[in-house]
PDB file of all heavy atoms in Angstrom:
ATOM      1  N   ARG B  94      -9.335  -0.456  32.374  1.00 96.00           N
ATOM      2  CA  ARG B  94     -10.122  -0.999  33.530  1.00 96.00           C
ATOM      3  C   ARG B  94     -10.690   0.175  34.329  1.00 96.00           C
ATOM      4  O   ARG B  94     -11.553   0.027  35.106  1.00 96.00           O
ATOM      5  CB  ARG B  94      -9.183  -1.862  34.396  1.00 96.00           C
ATOM      6  CG  ARG B  94      -8.908  -3.196  33.774  1.00 96.00           C
ATOM      7  CD  ARG B  94      -8.029  -4.072  34.623  1.00 96.00           C
ATOM      8  NE  ARG B  94      -6.659  -3.512  34.682  1.00 96.00           N
ATOM      9  CZ  ARG B  94      -5.655  -4.124  35.387  1.00 96.00           C
ATOM     10  NH1 ARG B  94      -5.803  -5.212  35.978  1.00 96.00           N
ATOM     11  NH2 ARG B  94      -4.388  -3.570  35.351  1.00 96.00           N
ATOM     12  N   LYS B 190     -16.273 -14.603  39.718  1.00 90.00           N
ATOM     13  CA  LYS B 190     -15.190 -13.928  40.456  1.00 90.00           C
ATOM     14  C   LYS B 190     -15.678 -12.583  41.090  1.00 90.00           C
ATOM     15  O   LYS B 190     -16.346 -11.855  40.417  1.00 90.00           O
ATOM     16  CB  LYS B 190     -14.019 -13.608  39.543  1.00 90.00           C
ATOM     17  CG  LYS B 190     -12.855 -12.949  40.145  1.00 90.00           C
ATOM     18  CD  LYS B 190     -11.800 -12.678  39.116  1.00 90.00           C
ATOM     19  CE  LYS B 190     -11.869 -11.309  38.474  1.00 90.00           C
ATOM     20  NZ  LYS B 190     -10.763 -11.001  37.561  1.00 90.00           N
ATOM     21  N   ASP B 217      -8.696 -15.354  29.235  1.00 98.00           N
ATOM     22  CA  ASP B 217      -8.897 -13.988  29.845  1.00 98.00           C
ATOM     23  C   ASP B 217      -8.356 -12.929  28.906  1.00 98.00           C
ATOM     24  O   ASP B 217      -7.599 -13.253  28.038  1.00 98.00           O
ATOM     25  CB  ASP B 217      -8.261 -13.886  31.214  1.00 98.00           C
ATOM     26  CG  ASP B 217      -8.931 -12.963  32.201  1.00 98.00           C
ATOM     27  OD1 ASP B 217      -9.777 -12.205  31.740  1.00 98.00           O
ATOM     28  OD2 ASP B 217      -8.622 -12.985  33.405  1.00 98.00           O
ATOM     29  N   ASP B 218      -8.765 -11.706  29.097  1.00 98.00           N
ATOM     30  CA  ASP B 218      -8.233 -10.636  28.231  1.00 98.00           C
ATOM     31  C   ASP B 218      -6.832 -10.302  28.620  1.00 98.00           C
ATOM     32  O   ASP B 218      -5.984  -9.981  27.812  1.00 98.00           O
ATOM     33  CB  ASP B 218      -9.159  -9.401  28.236  1.00 98.00           C
ATOM     34  CG  ASP B 218      -9.306  -8.788  29.611  1.00 98.00           C
ATOM     35  OD1 ASP B 218      -9.343  -9.543  30.608  1.00 98.00           O
ATOM     36  OD2 ASP B 218      -9.422  -7.526  29.704  1.00 98.00           O
ATOM     37  N   SER B 221      -2.407  -9.602  34.886  1.00 97.00           N
ATOM     38  CA  SER B 221      -1.497  -8.568  35.454  1.00 97.00           C
ATOM     39  C   SER B 221      -0.730  -9.221  36.586  1.00 97.00           C
ATOM     40  O   SER B 221       0.321  -9.870  36.343  1.00 97.00           O
ATOM     41  CB  SER B 221      -2.385  -7.410  35.887  1.00 97.00           C
ATOM     42  OG  SER B 221      -1.564  -6.431  36.511  1.00 97.00           O
ATOM     43  N   SER B 222      -1.268  -9.256  37.848  1.00 96.00           N
ATOM     44  CA  SER B 222      -0.504  -9.912  38.995  1.00 96.00           C
ATOM     45  C   SER B 222      -0.632 -11.347  38.880  1.00 96.00           C
ATOM     46  O   SER B 222       0.175 -12.068  39.555  1.00 96.00           O
ATOM     47  CB  SER B 222      -1.159  -9.399  40.301  1.00 96.00           C
ATOM     48  OG  SER B 222      -2.502  -9.833  40.380  1.00 96.00           O
ATOM     49  N   GLY B 223      -1.603 -11.840  38.147  1.00 96.00           N
ATOM     50  CA  GLY B 223      -1.840 -13.322  38.143  1.00 96.00           C
ATOM     51  C   GLY B 223      -2.838 -13.893  39.151  1.00 96.00           C
ATOM     52  O   GLY B 223      -3.239 -14.953  39.168  1.00 96.00           O
ATOM     53  N   SER B 225      -6.043 -13.359  39.527  1.00 95.00           N
ATOM     54  CA  SER B 225      -7.328 -13.966  39.090  1.00 95.00           C
ATOM     55  C   SER B 225      -7.142 -15.422  38.565  1.00 95.00           C
ATOM     56  O   SER B 225      -7.935 -16.300  38.879  1.00 95.00           O
ATOM     57  CB  SER B 225      -7.889 -13.109  37.987  1.00 95.00           C
ATOM     58  OG  SER B 225      -8.039 -11.838  38.354  1.00 95.00           O
TER      59      SER B 225
HETATM   60  C1  R5P F 301     -10.460  -8.441  35.081  1.00 62.42           C
HETATM   61  O1  R5P F 301     -11.648  -8.374  35.049  1.00 62.42           O
HETATM   62  C2  R5P F 301      -9.565  -8.843  34.023  1.00 62.42           C
HETATM   63  O2  R5P F 301     -10.267  -9.498  32.936  1.00 62.42           O
HETATM   64  C3  R5P F 301      -8.386  -9.744  34.423  1.00 62.42           C
HETATM   65  O3  R5P F 301      -8.946 -10.888  34.907  1.00 62.42           O
HETATM   66  C4  R5P F 301      -7.652  -9.045  35.565  1.00 62.42           C
HETATM   67  O4  R5P F 301      -7.483  -7.663  35.175  1.00 62.42           O
HETATM   68  C5  R5P F 301      -6.329  -9.734  35.673  1.00 62.42           C
HETATM   69  O5  R5P F 301      -5.662  -9.076  36.690  1.00 62.42           O
HETATM   70  P1  R5P F 301      -4.817  -9.970  37.780  1.00 62.42           P
HETATM   71  O6  R5P F 301      -3.879 -10.839  36.915  1.00 62.42           O
HETATM   72  O7  R5P F 301      -4.018  -8.920  38.559  1.00 62.42           O
HETATM   73  O8  R5P F 301      -5.747 -10.703  38.631  1.00 62.42           O
END
Side-chain angles (χ1 to χ4, degrees):
R94 286 178 292 181
K190 177 179 96 177
D217 211 344
D218 59 326
S221 179
S222 67
S225 304

